[in-house]
Amino acid sequence: DNVGKEEKQQELDTIEISAETVEKDEVKWKDSVSKGFFAFLNVFNVNNAARVLLLDDTDGDAAPYTMPVRFTKAPLFELETMVLAVDILAFSQRVIEDRNISVLMRFFYLWESGADSRSPPELFEQAIADSKALTLGIADFDNVMIDVLMFVHTPLVQSTLEVLMAHHSKRSNLLENLLSVQLLASNKKERQFKMVDQMLQQLEQNAETQELWGELESEADYATSKQTKDI
């Protein structure tokens, strides 16, 4: 009997300890939840206060934006003059792009001949770095062009956008130009290219005049037909 009483007492003590542990954990959990909740409320209140201050500033001192009169009332001759100026910048940008592709092709020529051991990606990056020697990117260039964009004149806006896009697309423009050119690194390849080009031009001419010689009514027609087949 004494043994049974001791075992029951131990079970009761264990249950009391477990209940006390659960109660302590529950208190800790409630404390953490309440702290997190109040922290969230603090952040929420701060955000609301900042939003109220922002709204107060907007409704109070800040004036609505009004477009300057010069953007809408500029004389037509001034707008046309600015269009001509922007067209000159567009021409300059095309010259810059031609110069950049020439620099890159020179690098590839040296690489193909073994005089330059750098990889093609490194040559491309070097050409991008060297392109800074000739550029439209002078001080305040973007600010001036953005100011020009504000004028209410479609040809001026279109030309300005094209110049800005070309100026800030140096890498993609260089890559696109590189894909559209062919490097002739030797005199033999140059002669072969010229010969193939002449043959293609002759073939195109024969195809356009096929209605004249297609009936094969003379020796010249037969000669043209044979030439076309040989090509």
Side-chain angles (χ1 to χ4, degrees):
D1 293 338
N2 292 333
V3 175
K5 291 181 180 180
E6 291 178 358
E7 291 178 354
K8 289 182 180 181
Q9 186 63 37
Q10 291 177 356
E11 292 177 358
L12 291 174
D13 294 340
T14 302
I15 293 173
E16 290 178 357
I17 293 174
S18 300
E20 184 178 357
T21 302
V22 170
E23 185 177 357
K24 290 181 179 179
D25 292 339
E26 184 178 359
V27 171
K28 291 181 180 179
W29 179 79
K30 289 181 179 179
D31 290 339
S32 62
V33 170
S34 61
K35 290 179 180 179
F37 178 73
F38 285 114
F40 170 78
L41 286 180
N42 289 333
V43 173
F44 181 76
N45 291 332
V46 169
N47 289 337
N48 281 342
R51 183 177 300 177
V52 170
L53 289 175
L54 181 61
L55 291 175
D56 290 343
D57 291 341
T58 303
D59 296 336
D61 299 333
Y65 173 77
T66 302
M67 180 178 291
V69 178
R70 64 188 182 91
F71 291 138
T72 57
K73 300 298 183 180
L76 181 59
F77 74 91
E78 289 186 4
L79 297 173
E80 292 177 346
T81 302
M82 285 191 286
V83 171
L84 292 176
V86 174
D87 288 342
I88 294 174
L89 291 177
F91 175 78
S92 302
Q93 179 62 34
R94 290 193 293 271
V95 173
I96 291 172
E97 292 177 1
D98 290 342
R99 183 258 182 191
N100 292 342
I101 188 63
S102 298
V103 170
L104 182 57
M105 296 301 289
R106 178 62 181 174
F107 288 157
F108 274 111
Y109 173 78
L110 296 175
W111 172 74
E112 197 276 340
S113 61
D116 197 328
S117 60
R118 290 176 294 181
S119 63
E122 291 175 337
L123 297 177
F124 185 85
E125 294 299 330
Q126 184 62 50
I128 292 294
D130 291 350
S131 66
K132 297 178 181 179
L134 183 62
T135 177
L136 295 178
I138 60 176
D140 294 330
F141 174 78
D142 288 343
N143 292 334
V144 173
M145 297 301 281
I146 291 174
D147 184 83
V148 174
L149 284 175
M150 298 297 293
F151 284 91
V152 183
H153 188 63
T154 301
L156 178 60
V157 172
Q158 182 66 32
S159 300
T160 305
L161 281 176
E162 291 175 357
V163 172
L164 276 174
M165 291 175 62
H167 173 63
H168 289 285
S169 303
K170 182 188 306 181
R171 185 179 296 271
S172 60
N173 288 341
L174 181 57
L175 182 58
E176 183 178 354
N177 293 334
L178 179 63
L179 296 175
S180 62
V181 299
Q182 183 175 1
L183 177 63
L184 303 176
S186 66
N187 294 330
K188 179 180 179 181
K189 291 182 178 180
E190 184 178 357
R191 289 193 299 270
Q192 291 174 344
F193 176 81
K194 289 181 178 180
M195 183 178 63
V196 172
D197 184 59
Q198 292 175 357
M199 293 172 63
L200 290 176
Q201 290 181 8
Q202 185 63 50
L203 182 61
E204 183 180 2
Q205 180 180 350
N206 292 349
E208 291 176 352
T209 59
Q210 194 273 338
E211 294 181 356
L212 300 177
W213 57 264
E215 298 296 333
L216 302 178
E217 296 178 350
S218 64
E219 293 183 0
D221 293 343
Y222 280 101
T224 303
S225 176
K226 184 178 183 303
Q227 183 188 49
T228 304
K229 292 179 181 178
D230 292 341
I231 293 176

